[in-house]
Amino acid sequence: MAKVIEGLYYSESHEFVRVEGNFGFIGITDYAQNALGNVVYVDMPDVDDEVSAGEEFGAVESVKAASDLISPVSGTVVEVNEALEDTPELINEDAFENWIIKVELSDASELDNLMDAQAYAAFCEK
């Protein structure tokens, strides 16, 4: 069973959001990194780019496949995880620690459309 962390928000496309104040840290879940296998490249947007809930904002490539990253929330990118540019395999080591982008949330009510840890765990078991 993939690791699921309490207090995060989860999307059906296997991204998570960790909320701190008006900011959301977005990455892929443990389930997603496990399904992808060894991550070799992360395509990230630029700082100041806008992301929209349900829209693509980048991609994760592994030795097996490439997977689009779908933003679970809308907002402005305020930071990208530059460590992933040189060491994308950090996602395999700990997907939840190694978020991909940090956004300033433009509509916190969008979080209501996402799953909590219990719902996501059940979703992954289907």
Side-chain angles (χ1 to χ4, degrees):
M1 176 66 202
K3 181 167 83 170
V4 177
I5 295 181
E6 290 290 331
L8 302 181
Y9 297 89
Y10 297 90
S11 68
E12 290 189 1
S13 53
H14 304 287
E15 285 85 15
F16 72 84
V17 183
R18 184 179 80 235
V19 177
E20 293 181 8
N22 196 37
F23 296 97
F25 293 83
I26 300 172
I28 65 170
T29 65
D30 190 53
Y31 180 93
Q33 72 79 22
N34 202 33
L36 279 168
N38 294 333
V39 174
V40 294
Y41 179 71
V42 182
D43 179 32
M44 296 178 275
D46 295 320
V47 170
D48 293 330
D49 281 1
E50 298 287 325
V51 296
S52 299
E55 300 288 319
E56 181 186 329
F57 70 86
V60 175
E61 294 178 21
S62 72
V63 291
K64 293 196 293 194
S67 181
D68 289 339
L69 294 166
I70 308 299
S71 187
V73 291
S74 301
T76 304
V77 178
V78 293
E79 191 178 341
V80 297
N81 187 346
E82 292 178 2
L84 298 177
E85 291 174 6
D86 296 326
T87 323
E89 62 273 13
L90 287 170
I91 288 178
N92 295 120
E93 292 171 21
D94 189 335
F96 292 113
E97 267 311 300
N98 293 290
W99 50 272
I100 297 171
I101 60 171
K102 176 182 176 182
V103 299
E104 185 168 4
L105 302 172
S106 59
D107 183 359
S109 71
E110 290 175 340
L111 295 166
D112 298 338
N113 301 327
L114 302 173
M115 292 177 272
D116 65 11
Q118 287 85 0
Y120 182 68
F123 176 77
C124 290
E125 287 174 11
K126 289 181 185 166

